[in-house]
Amino acid sequence: MSEIPAKATESKDPLDGARAEAADDAVAQVRPGEPPSGDAMWQSSPPGSIYDYIKVASFSIGPDGLVEQWSLRAEQLFGIPAQHAVGMDPIEAFIDPDLRAQGQRKMAEILDGREWTGVVPFRVPPSAADGECGREGLAEVYVMPTRTEEGEKAAVCIVVDVRTLRSIETDLAASQAIFGQSPFGFVLIDPDLRVRRVNYRFASLFGGSPDDHRGKGVHDYLPRPEAERVTATLRRVLETGDSITDMHVTGFLPGSDERRHWSINLYRVRSGSGRPIGIAWLGTDITARRAAAREAAAARRNLALLNEAGARIGNSLDLETTARELLDVVVPGFCDLATVDLYQGLLAGDETPPGLADGSAELRRVAFASAVSDAPFIGSGDPVSVGAVHHYPFNSPCADALRTARPQYIPAEEGGLVQSTLAVPMVAHDTVVGLAQFARTKGSEPFGDRDRDLAVELAARAAVCIDNARLYRREHERALILQRSLLPPGDPVASGLDIACRYLPGNSSADRPSEVGGDWFDVIELPGHRTALVVGDVMGRGLRAAVAMGELRSAVRTLALLDLEPAEVLSALDEIARGLGAPGGVQQATRAARRPREADLSEVYLATCVYAVYDSVTRRCTFANAGHLPPVLVEPGEDALMLDVPPGMPLGVGGEPFEEVEVELPEGALLALYTDGLVESRDHPLDEGLQAFVGALTDPSAPLEDVCDHVLNTLDTHHGEDDIALLMARVQGLPVDSVGDWTLPREPRSVGRAREYARGQLLSWDLEPLVDTTELLVSELVTNALRYGEGDIRLRLLLDRTLVCEVWDSGLVQPRRRRARDTDEGGRGLQLVGLLSAAWGSRRTPRGKTVWFELPLPDGKNGMVDPAEALLSLF
């Protein structure tokens, strides 16, 4: 600790100013209108006085230099209770050891009768609250000599924490800087609503020096009615503490007859302890701004109609609604009668209907509005009602307006109610889409050139909106046709699964039509009575999203028929998606595959997809997910749950592998795949929608169609603008007695055993008409496995809607069908399989390959080929 600062010298009492300010505050606390009771200087200070803020502490020192009395504020400042402080040597207790000698000399001088004021560093003894080291501080001390009753010399000490004093000094300096340097008129008003202080800006406007305004009231500056209004506001601010912002006040400057306008802000001012001490008035002159505003008002009135048109026209993508919005703007603000006619061919989707160039094409009246009670029609000839199709004569002003794309004045008919009519072509993107007619009845001002220009602008704005609505309607209809054509027709059928599905386009209305989305689902039958279930969603909306969806769906079908594993399907699909957004479509995927890390995501359509393969024999389902919502499973007697399938990255991102999860599904289990439109909307978070979906699957044993309807009805409030795809499947595994499975050793006689096993199994299934064909084809496949395969041979027959025969071996070489020459003794086995079966193929397995063929079940002849005839056809 350094030596006692040089400031510790004799000085004047530092609290004189504080005491004077406290006295002023005591006087200020007398309520307006109440006379002071006695001498105001001797009134009790209210709670929140300046002494509460400064927190002055005091203690006394006896003739022996020890503490005799110790105030509560001293306890708070030094953290020492009175019972410990009384009798303590303040020099030994608080002063650093290096400064104690100097402190003892100063104490001797004080007890000798000398006053002293200075800044003293002190240290509070260690305590449990402060830790082992204690607490250090800096105090400003005022020591006054005194005598005890016995006449011995003693001292009274007044102590203030220097940090509090410095804070007050800083606050006063900041207040002075803000008050004096503000470019606005700044007034401090006391609780009596009298001016306590003004800044130089205020004084420069109203004359005199800032001190000349002290004690004045609002009536000294403002006319009586305005002054009374402002006074009432000041009282309300003082009582409630509510601030007033941008209150407009009108008055006059001294010596001037010019009316001035000010914007004032009022807020209640409180002391550091929170006691209200007055009101701050911050005012700025807005006279010039008010004048500019009046000048701008005239210009705004001229543009008001255009502004209204911009706000009200084009809020819908519906043609008729947009036309009515135009008439709602112009009637009665611009004219008394108005109609809108649009080309019928353009409404029907034609790009250039016949007669469009010369104005003779058919038009349909889509809107009419009138502000007069008898509602006369516009134009000559027979009246045209809303919805009627008509055309204008070639030599009429309306046809001329359509032909030239220029507005035309239509002469008023003699004796008619309409005295002035404007025929204005509706032009959008250099194409005339229709005609708007504006008419004013007698008694109104006829149209002038300025009105004509305004009418052209209004019609052009509406025309652009109408043309946009027309183009949107055409694109939307085409996208819907495309999207619906790509969805599975009817109810999909799968082996070992009961399937139900729903597709709902997003909610739409005339005011807010919904764009077509990229949601899709598919059910793909795979060899071996397996089924691929697919649900996907292309991010984005519109025709391009629908096209991308169609390309991805076609790619999924192609990859599924290659019988790849689910993760392999998504990996290949990811590469395809990376090229959809770039020119060239799917062809770009090849280049994206060559440089997956360098592909530009701005050229890529992102999509989510979940791909599942269900095996009806094992009742196992393998899932792979590309950023899609998890499937939901409901097991019999259990609550619905979301399967823990790793989400993976969306298709089109690239660079990340996809994981597979295999789940065994019990008989009767319900599996649900869906898109986010079912569970997410602008008004509901995703988690809430997912919980609602899971909670809606309360009766999974009900018919699937009923379950789908129940889910959609329950989650109707969650359905927003997005499309919904819902695919539900109930597990119905293949019965054990519908499966024949045998393992054959790798020896020639296994061919005969395979035929025997097949014959016996088919006879037990009462499929005698298929015995000969099956024996022949089984013999061919087992022979190929012996000749070209490896390891043991497995033969499996599956009976469901068709008969499937599978021959498994450990070889990796896939069979290839070739055309045998007439002189070849072999090479016709797979040709024979292709001729006699409904379908055949091969797929890889984790331990080799499987070659299979499928035969339809007999129903009459059922189109079956006679084996003998098939053999003869090969030679």
Side-chain angles (χ1 to χ4, degrees), residues 688-717:
E688 181 181 335
L690 287 172
Q691 292 302 321
F693 177 41
V694 171
L697 298 172
T698 55
D699 188 12
S701 61
L704 270 189
E705 297 294 334
D706 295 342
V707 175
C708 286
D709 293 338
H710 175 70
V711 167
L712 294 178
N713 292 333
T714 303
L715 271 68
D716 180 65
T717 56

Side-chain angles (χ1 to χ4, degrees), residues 334 339 341 378-379 392 396-411 420-426 434-439 447 452 455-456 459:
F334 178 69
T339 63
D341 298 325
I378 300 177
Y392 292 106
S396 65
C398 291
D400 188 46
L402 291 169
R403 185 166 50 251
T404 62
R406 295 179 179 177
Q408 299 290 329
Y409 289 102
I410 300 178
S420 182
T421 303
L422 269 175
V424 183
M426 305 181 71
L435 183 75
Q437 294 186 71
F438 309 108
F447 291 115
R452 179 196 60 195
V456 170

Side-chain angles (χ1 to χ4, degrees), residues 108-351:
E109 295 177 0
I110 293 170
L111 293 177
D112 194 36
R114 184 176 180 180
E115 290 189 5
W116 181 80
T117 301
V119 177
V120 178
F122 67 88
R123 173 179 293 181
V124 177
S127 66
D130 298 328
E132 296 181 358
C133 298
R135 176 169 55 87
E136 294 183 355
L138 197 64
E140 184 165 299
V141 182
Y142 178 28
V143 183
M144 296 172 289
T146 185
R147 290 184 181 273
T148 64
E149 293 180 357
E150 292 77 12
E152 295 181 291
K153 293 180 179 180
V156 174
C157 300
I158 298 176
V159 184
V160 179
D161 191 340
V162 170
R163 291 173 299 178
T164 302
L165 290 178
R166 296 298 176 266
S167 176
I168 294 175
E169 291 174 358
T170 302
D171 292 346
L172 290 174
S175 174
Q176 180 64 29
I178 295 174
F179 204 90
Q181 299 173 18
S182 173
F184 309 107
F186 208 157
V187 183
L188 182 62
I189 300 175
D190 65 19
D192 290 329
L193 303 187
R194 294 290 177 180
V195 174
R196 182 82 171 268
R197 186 178 179 186
V198 303
N199 67 348
Y200 287 102
R201 175 61 177 170
F202 185 89
S204 66
L205 293 176
F206 288 91
S209 67
D211 292 338
D212 294 337
H213 295 270
R214 183 183 292 268
K216 290 186 177 182
V218 177
H219 289 78
D220 296 320
Y221 301 99
L222 299 175
R224 183 178 182 84
E226 193 77 335
E228 292 178 352
R229 180 174 71 92
V230 173
T231 298
T233 304
L234 291 173
R235 293 188 185 281
R236 185 167 68 252
V237 172
L238 187 63
E239 293 172 0
T240 65
D242 296 336
S243 300
I244 301 296
T245 303
D246 196 23
M247 176 181 177
H248 288 192
V249 176
T250 303
F252 301 90
L253 293 177
S256 174
D257 295 333
E258 180 185 1
R259 184 179 295 274
R260 310 292 293 183
H261 302 275
W262 293 278
S263 171
I264 64 172
N265 299 316
L266 304 173
Y267 58 92
R268 189 169 67 182
V269 180
R270 295 171 294 183
S271 66
S273 59
R275 176 173 54 86
I277 60 175
I279 302 170
W281 169 311
L282 182 64
T284 180
D285 194 323
I286 60 171
T287 304
R289 188 189 355 169
R290 287 279 294 258
R294 286 194 299 271
E295 294 177 2
R300 284 199 301 269
R301 282 194 296 269
N302 295 335
L303 295 175
L305 206 58
L306 287 177
N307 293 337
E308 185 180 5
R312 299 181 60 180
I313 300 175
N315 294 323
S316 167
L317 287 175
D318 181 74
L319 298 171
E320 290 79 5
T321 302
T322 303
R324 287 194 296 270
E325 289 171 347
L326 170 62
L327 301 193
D328 290 341
V329 170
V330 299
V331 178
F334 178 69
C335 61
D336 301 313
L337 302 168
T339 63
V340 174
D341 298 325
L342 299 179
Y343 277 119
Q344 175 68 8
L346 293 178
L347 294 175
D350 298 337
E351 291 295 335

Side-chain angles (χ1 to χ4, degrees), residues 488 490-502 521-525 531-534 614 670-671 673 703-705 708 726-732 801:
D491 296 326
V493 178
S495 175
L497 292 175
D498 183 14
I499 302 288
C501 52
R502 294 288 188 276
F521 67 90
D522 210 344
V523 179
I524 307 169
E525 291 192 82
T531 305
L533 304 175
V534 190
Y614 170 72
L670 183 65
L671 181 65
L673 307 179
L704 270 189
E705 297 294 334
C708 286
L726 174 62
L727 177 61
M728 306 192 77
R730 178 176 288 118
V731 174
Q732 297 174 347
R801 293 178 293 109

